[in-house]
């Protein structure tokens, strides 16, 4: 029927049900749901559903490239279960000497060069060499990095405060201190015998200065006749004894030389305002040795910098924790 007023009649709504697809052509939930989930993950910018809590269990779980049973960043499988590569910010031992902004504990001085503009070299794009253009001219002769000897006779001679100017007589007291080197005072880099007493002692490291560092490294020397850390180098037992203060570092290094533990980190943002908590280290007490105090440790700054460069008035503080 044409309505009054002219015009065409409205189209009749088709109320018929569509013909269903044959069962063989219908999508199966068993494969459609995972595909939908994967699409949603990709849309959100994620490419992996890896559970980092599973990294280090020795089994390759979803999202992992490798899993060697540990979370060490310096071997071929990093602490986030990815194959080590140049550019990941972690230094692969025996393959790389540096990686990006992570130059470990290298500085111009211990590489045999004058400090240059800021005292630290860069890293070559291949990660197998340092960029020494930031350093000054080479020393003549080039200093030789000493090796650690095995044993020495323990001594408990009282030491000066770690931040004090050290008299020459401090060499030989069994504790490497600021201003000393293993080359000039090898006795303080020797390792004493230590049988763990069963008691542990924790010490905190902090920085004080005009600015909070984002790139920092210290050599935390300790009197090895009084305290020790189980294991050596970057063993898991060593890494378990060092904890970094927040914010979490993007890259870090922990390496125990049995008379000093090297601790370094790079952070995207600075540490809290000074005094800036940096890390804690937990030691075993040695049997038949007195309870350790802060005088049994010394904090030697290797690197303390932010985006503006080296922090000239940076100081390292060590305190005993309950």
């Amino acid at each position: 029927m044409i309505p009054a007023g002219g015009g065409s009649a409205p189209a009749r709504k088709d109320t018929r049900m569509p013909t269903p697809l044959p069962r063989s052509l219908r999508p199966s939930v068993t494969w459609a749901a995972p595909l939908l989930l994967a699409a949603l993950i990709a849309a959100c910018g994620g490419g992996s559903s890896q559970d980092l809590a599973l990294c280090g269990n020795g089994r390759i779980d979803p999202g992992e490239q490798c899993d060697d049973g540990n979370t060490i960043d310096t071997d071929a499988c990093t602490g986030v279960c990815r194959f080590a590569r140049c550019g990941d910010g972690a230094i692969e031992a025996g393959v790389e000497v540096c990686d990006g902004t992570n130059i470990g504990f290298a500085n111009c001085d211990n590489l045999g060069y004058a400090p240059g503009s800021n005292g630290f070299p860069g890293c070559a794009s291949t990660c197998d060499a340092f960029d020494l253009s930031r350093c000054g001219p080479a020393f003549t002769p080039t200093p030789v990095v000493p090796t650690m000897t095995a044993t020495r006779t323990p001594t408990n001679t009282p030491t000066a405060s770690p931040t004090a100017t050290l008299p020459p007589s401090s060499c030989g007291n069994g504790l490497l201190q600021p201003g000393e080197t293993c080359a000039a005072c090898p006795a303080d880099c020797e390792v004493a015998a230590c049988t763990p007493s069963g008691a542990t002692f924790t010490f905190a490291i902090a920085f004080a200065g005009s600015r909070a560092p984002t790139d920092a490294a210290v050599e935390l020397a300790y009197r090895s006749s009084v305290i020790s850390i189980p294991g050596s180098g970057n063993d898991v037992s060593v890494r378990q004894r060092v904890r970094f203060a927040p914010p979490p570092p993007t890259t870090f290094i922990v390496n125990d030389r049995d008379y000093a533990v090297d601790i370094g980190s790079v952070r995207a943002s600075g540490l809290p305002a000074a005094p800036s908590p940096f890390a804690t280290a937990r030691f075993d007490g040695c049997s038949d040795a007195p309870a350790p105090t802060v005088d049994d440790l010394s904090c030697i700054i290797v690197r303390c910098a932010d985006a503006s460069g080296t922090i000239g008035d940076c100081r390292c503080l060590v305190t005993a924790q309950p």
Side-chain angles (χ1 to χ4, degrees):
M1 181 180 68
I2 298 177
S8 302
R12 178 179 293 176
K13 183 177 181 181
D14 189 351
T15 59
R16 293 175 297 173
M17 296 296 291
T19 302
L21 286 172
R23 182 178 298 275
S24 61
L25 298 180
R26 297 177 193 174
S28 170
V29 173
T30 58
W31 59 263
L35 287 179
L36 178 60
L37 177 60
L40 291 174
I41 292 174
C44 293
S48 169
S49 58
Q50 177 188 8
D51 182 356
L52 290 178
L54 299 177
C55 182
N57 64 5
R59 182 182 64 248
I60 298 179
D61 296 297
E64 296 179 345
Q65 294 180 341
C66 56
D67 196 318
D68 55 0
N70 63 59
T71 55
I72 296 175
D73 279 322
T74 55
D75 57 18
C77 184
T78 67
V80 292
C81 287
R82 300 290 186 194
F83 291 123
R85 60 178 179 83
C86 181
D88 61 9
I91 301 174
E92 184 180 359
V95 177
E96 301 172 337
V97 299
C98 55
D99 196 311
T101 59
N102 186 352
I103 58 172
F105 289 85
N107 58 48
C108 295
D109 180 74
N110 62 29
L111 292 174
Y113 291 80
S117 59
N118 64 10
F120 300 101
C123 183
S125 60
T126 52
C127 298
D128 59 356
F130 292 107
D131 176 6
L132 299 174
S133 63
R134 301 183 185 182
C135 299
F139 293 134
T140 306
T142 300
V144 177
V145 178
T147 57
M148 182 177 63
T149 55
T151 59
R152 70 172 188 83
T153 303
T155 177
N156 288 313
T157 306
T159 63
S161 167
T163 58
T165 301
L166 302 175
S169 59
S170 66
C171 179
N173 63 9
L175 178 66
L176 191 69
Q177 295 174 274
E180 296 179 346
T181 65
C182 290
C185 190
D188 287 348
C189 297
E190 295 178 353
V191 181
C194 174
T195 301
S197 65
T200 61
F201 302 88
T202 301
F203 294 87
I205 310 160
F207 288 104
S210 56
R211 307 192 306 273
T214 55
D215 184 0
V218 300
E219 183 179 5
L220 183 63
Y222 55 89
R223 202 184 304 278
S224 59
S225 61
V226 178
I227 52 178
S228 68
I229 290 180
S232 295
N234 63 356
D235 291 346
V236 173
S237 59
V238 174
R239 290 159 56 92
Q240 290 174 338
R241 292 300 187 93
V242 175
R243 291 288 180 266
F244 288 91
T250 55
T251 60
F252 64 90
I253 292 176
V254 176
N255 181 70
D256 182 39
R257 290 181 280 161
D258 298 322
Y259 64 90
V261 56
D262 300 324
I263 306 172
S265 70
V266 177
R267 289 173 166 83
S269 58
L271 294 168
S276 306
F278 176 59
T280 61
R282 183 164 57 93
F283 296 86
D284 289 332
C286 298
S287 299
D288 302 324
T293 70
V294 292
D295 288 335
D296 292 308
L297 301 96
S298 66
C299 191
I300 303 169
I301 294 177
V302 177
R303 189 168 64 252
C304 184
D306 61 7
S308 300
T310 299
I311 303 172
D313 61 350
C314 186
R315 293 179 295 116
C316 184
L317 311 173
V318 178
T319 57
Q321 299 295 289

